Amino acid sequence: MAELGLKKKEIDAIEFAFDVYDFKGDGNVDAFYAGDLIRACNLNPTLKTINEVGGQSEKGKKMLSKAEVYPMYKACKDSKDQGGFHDFVEILKLYDKNDDNTMIGNELFRLLTNLGEKLSKEEAKSLMKELCEPEDDDGFMPFIPFLEKMCAAEK
């Protein structure tokens, strides 16, 4: 996999995730699960990207060998079609009632527990306690520091 420029840690993650999604143990994974497999390796490709690299929207249409997954992972890794810090800022600006990069803390909690990869209430409370600055008297908190801490690994 050196020809693809993948690190050992990435290769290990792909192999582990592949084994998880190889339900029959025959060395093949249904391409329907390609997105889940790649997301299990800490990438966040869009459905469009998954389809472009060979994923399928229906079960049983195509099977993938482990050798086919490495270039798919690399293509997803190189894709610019992923959410990042600036995308998240734009999303949270929708909740910025005062146009000052703040939002109501309860709205962030609701987003974390109801959208995307939903967090449990306990996980959301813990995350907000660790990463958010305190709310002001009106319940508003700055969301930029929260996102900077959340996306620190991206930079």
Side-chain angles (χ1 to χ4, degrees):
M1 292 308 102
E3 66 271 8
L4 292 174
L6 299 179
K7 299 174 185 156
K8 181 177 178 353
K9 185 177 180 181
E10 292 171 314
I11 292 168
D12 291 345
I14 294 166
E15 289 177 354
F16 179 78
F18 187 92
D19 291 341
V20 169
Y21 286 96
D22 180 7
F23 300 128
K24 296 179 183 174
D26 62 358
N28 290 300
V29 169
D30 192 323
F32 175 78
Y33 296 107
D36 295 331
L37 191 156
I38 291 169
R39 287 185 192 97
C41 299
N42 293 322
L43 293 184
N44 192 23
T46 62
L47 294 174
K48 177 184 168 196
T49 302
I50 294 297
N51 287 331
E52 288 172 357
V53 300
Q56 296 291 316
S57 57
E58 294 180 38
K59 289 182 184 177
K61 280 194 162 186
K62 179 181 174 185
M63 298 302 282
L64 301 170
S65 68
K66 198 176 285 188
E68 293 172 297
V69 173
Y70 295 112
M72 290 174 72
Y73 173 89
K74 175 71 169 152
C76 289
K77 181 180 174 187
D78 293 343
S79 172
K80 300 297 179 204
D81 196 14
Q82 298 187 41
F85 175 77
H86 298 290
D87 298 315
F88 299 137
V89 168
E90 292 303 313
I91 291 167
L92 292 186
K93 280 186 177 181
L94 296 171
Y95 298 90
D96 184 1
K97 308 241 187 296
N98 299 329
D99 204 26
D100 60 356
N101 292 334
T102 63
M103 68 184 294
I104 295 175
N106 285 340
E107 286 181 339
L108 178 60
F109 178 80
R110 203 168 39 85
L111 290 172
L112 294 172
T113 56
N114 290 307
L115 296 177
E117 292 188 27
K118 300 171 188 166
L119 300 178
S120 69
K121 290 181 180 181
E122 295 75 29
E123 290 171 326
K125 285 178 186 175
S126 173
L127 186 71
M128 289 179 67
K129 183 177 181 180
E130 185 178 333
L131 301 180
C132 292
E133 294 187 3
E135 295 178 6
D136 65 15
D137 293 336
D138 297 322
F140 287 89
M141 51 159 266
F143 57 79
I144 299 288
F146 168 76
L147 290 174
E148 286 172 341
K149 293 171 188 171
M150 280 292 294
C151 297
E154 176 186 304
K155 295 179 181 175

